[in-house]
Every structure is written in structure tokens, then in C-alpha cells.
Amino acid sequence: MAEEKQTTTTVSRHSEVGHKSLLQSDALYQYILETSVYPREPEAMKELRDITAKHPWNLMTTSADEGQFLAMLLKLINAKNTMEIGVYTGYSLLATALALPEDGKKACHGSYDFIFVDADKDNYINYHKRLIDLVKVGGVIGYDNTLWNGSVAEPADAPMRKYVRYYRDFVMELNKALAADPRIEICMLPVGDGITLCRRIS
């Protein structure tokens, strides 16, 4: 009986609907959510997360821990001028809006403090070509889903869901291009479905 229960726990995924964390332990991820994320989550974000969880495409939402990370990052870099490309139901956008100071606003060419991209993966390279000129030197671009369900580390012939396989090569192309771009410093983090931060240095 104990053996059967253990198998069930291993197969199950995290309880947050639409969850995309790469953590392999349900209990560990749930601990993170219940200990440091949910208790500090603004009520408006909680309401939006609950509504989004009922949507048939809820797997596209930004995870709550990533929302918290983005809010902390914006405050750490004192971002005022931001842009977001790809908002779905707006969870990450709301996290950004709530983290900005009162004088935060839209910016002009070459003066963005922070740009977050969570849109069509097959256009990520095209976005980067344009965004690098919009963010200021010292500013940050964040690309979401850069570990793409963990598929980037799998062999090309590994079994994958159709949409994962379709976008996998585009995500890998972006990762390779970012690593070779001398205009930025990068940091790839296993938060949510993977987020790569690019700090423009020239």
C-alpha cells in the first residue's frame, strides 16, 4: 500500500493549475508557494490568478513565483520605464505595474529600464533584434520560457507534446544567440519555465 501511494505522488504534478516549474518535487514547489509567495501575493494578483486558472489555456499563465521574482527584480533595479510583450491574461503585467514607483511610465527609444518578453517563441529572435536598441545601457530584457518544459536539454527524437516540439528549436536558437551576443550579460534562471535575463552593456 505504501509503495502504491509513493507511485501516485511521483506521477502527480504540482497543485497550482498551469504550473510550469522545473522543480521535480511537488512538495518542495508547494512549500515555496505557501511559505513565501502566496502570503505576500497582492489580492488583485491572487484574484487574477484564480480567474486564469479556470481558463482552458491556463498553462500559458506566468507562475506565481515568477510574478514575485519579477516584482523583486524591478524594485532592485529601480525600474521606472518598462514594456511587456505578450501579456495573456496580464498576471506578469500586473506584477510589473504594482512594482513600479508612482512616477513609472512608458519610455522612448533607448531609455527602457526593463522589457519582459513572453510572446510567440518563433519570433523571439526578431524581438531581440529590435529590443536591444530600445532598452538603455544597464537596462534589462527578460525572456520567458527559455528552458521550454525542459525540452532544450532533451534529444531531438525524445517524446514531446506537439507544441513543445514545434517551438523547441526556436527557443534553442534564441538561447544560442543570447549567449553569443557581446552587447549583453546574461543569466538563465530555472524560475517558472526558465527565464533569461539580459543586461545591456553596450
Side-chain angles (χ1 to χ4, degrees):
M1 181 67 73
E3 207 172 300
E4 183 179 337
K5 184 177 180 182
Q6 185 177 9
T7 303
T8 304
T9 304
T10 303
V11 171
S12 68
R13 291 305 292 155
H14 307 292
S15 63
E16 180 179 292
V17 178
H19 166 64
K20 296 184 287 189
S21 174
L22 294 171
L23 288 174
Q24 293 303 300
S25 165
D26 289 355
L28 181 57
Y29 184 67
Q30 203 61 35
Y31 175 83
I32 293 170
L33 292 175
E34 293 176 2
T35 304
S36 69
V37 179
Y38 291 157
R40 296 297 188 97
E41 184 179 37
E43 188 59 32
M45 291 180 65
K46 180 185 184 306
E47 290 177 11
L48 181 57
R49 178 168 56 80
D50 289 342
I51 292 169
T52 304
K54 298 169 186 172
H55 192 282
W57 287 94
N58 60 60
L59 60 88
M60 291 173 58
T61 191
T62 300
S63 60
D65 57 321
E66 186 173 359
Q68 185 184 61
F69 169 74
L70 290 173
M72 176 69 80
L73 175 64
L74 288 163
K75 291 174 182 176
L76 287 172
I77 66 174
N78 193 29
K80 294 183 179 181
N81 304 320
T82 68
M83 177 193 299
E84 184 151 346
I85 299 174
V87 296
Y88 186 45
T89 60
Y91 188 82
S92 58
L93 182 62
L94 183 55
T96 297
L98 292 175
L100 290 177
E102 289 185 9
D103 58 344
K105 59 184 182 299
K106 292 181 180 179
C108 301
H109 187 86
S111 61
Y112 282 91
D113 300 308
F114 180 77
I115 301 175
F116 185 62
V117 185
D118 183 11
D120 44 329
K121 315 309 169 195
D122 44 347
N123 266 315
Y124 265 24
I125 285 284
N126 294 326
Y127 289 133
H128 185 67
K129 289 175 182 176
R130 290 159 176 77
L131 297 179
I132 194 67
D133 292 324
L134 293 179
V135 71
K136 70 180 186 181
V137 173
V140 175
I141 305 172
Y143 289 98
D144 200 16
N145 306 113
T146 52
L147 295 178
W148 199 233
N149 289 254
S151 67
V152 294
E154 295 292 328
D157 59 352
M160 301 175 197
R161 283 170 288 180
K162 187 176 180 180
Y163 84 95
V164 172
R165 180 176 299 284
Y166 177 78
Y167 289 111
R168 173 180 176 271
D169 288 346
F170 293 111
V171 174
M172 293 179 72
E173 179 187 18
L174 172 79
N175 291 341
K176 186 176 180 181
L178 296 181
D181 191 337
R183 299 168 296 179
I184 56 175
E185 296 173 328
I186 66 170
C187 178
M188 183 182 283
L189 300 168
V191 176
D193 190 31
I195 178 171
T196 299
L197 301 179
C198 308
R199 179 177 176 270
R200 183 180 173 189
I201 57 175
S202 67

